Amino acid sequence: MADDAWTDDDARAALLAERVRSRRLLGAVERSMDDVASARDGANSDDEHDPEGATLAWERGSLGAVRDDARRRLELVDAALHRLDDGSYGRCLVGGEPIPQARLAAVPWARTCIAHAG
C-alpha cells in the first residue's frame, strides 16, 4: 500500500478525534442552551412583544440546530467505529462497493460512495 493510503488506524484516529470534538461541542451547546433558558426565565413570557424575546427564540432555535447536528454526527461516528470493528468500514452501505480513500479521508464517517450519497 502507498504511504498516503488511508488505513483503518487512520480512520479510527480520525473518528475518535471527531467523537471528542463533537462531544465537546455538544456539551458547550447544551450549556449555552441552559444559559438561554435561564435568560428566558427572567424575561417577559410574551416573545412577540418582548424586545429580547425574538432574540432569545432565535438563539434557542440556532443552538438547537447545532445540538441536533452534533448528536447526529456522534451517531454517524459511532456507527463508523462499529463498521471498523466488524470489518465493513469503507464499503458503501447501498451498493457494497469500496468508498474511495479520498472520501474517507475527508469524511471518515461516510456511509456511502459518492454515487449513493445524498
Side-chain angles (χ1 to χ4, degrees):
M1 225 179 242
D3 289 337
D4 62 348
W6 184 251
T7 67
D8 284 357
D9 288 342
D10 295 329
R12 188 171 304 280
L15 290 165
L16 291 174
E18 181 60 30
R19 192 168 201 292
V20 167
R21 190 194 74 75
S22 293
R23 281 220 174 269
R24 284 184 182 152
L25 175 61
L26 184 57
V29 168
E30 287 175 343
R31 284 188 298 279
S32 292
M33 290 181 81
D34 289 345
D35 291 345
V36 169
S38 294
R40 179 74 182 93
D41 288 344
N44 182 347
S45 63
D46 183 3
D47 279 359
E48 183 178 342
H49 298 100
D50 180 1
E52 292 297 317
T55 301
L56 291 172
W58 180 85
E59 191 167 347
R60 189 173 52 240
S62 295
L63 288 169
V66 173
R67 178 203 57 211
D68 294 347
D69 286 346
R71 285 179 178 167
R72 180 69 180 139
R73 176 72 51 89
L74 281 169
E75 290 172 4
L76 292 170
V77 166
D78 286 344
L81 286 166
H82 179 74
R83 290 191 304 276
L84 259 174
D85 292 340
D86 75 12
S88 63
Y89 180 80
R91 302 215 58 89
C92 179
L93 294 180
V94 176
E97 63 273 4
I99 298 172
Q101 288 185 6
R103 176 162 169 74
L104 292 173
V107 184
W109 52 89
R111 300 178 307 158
T112 62
C113 66
I114 299 277
H116 291 119

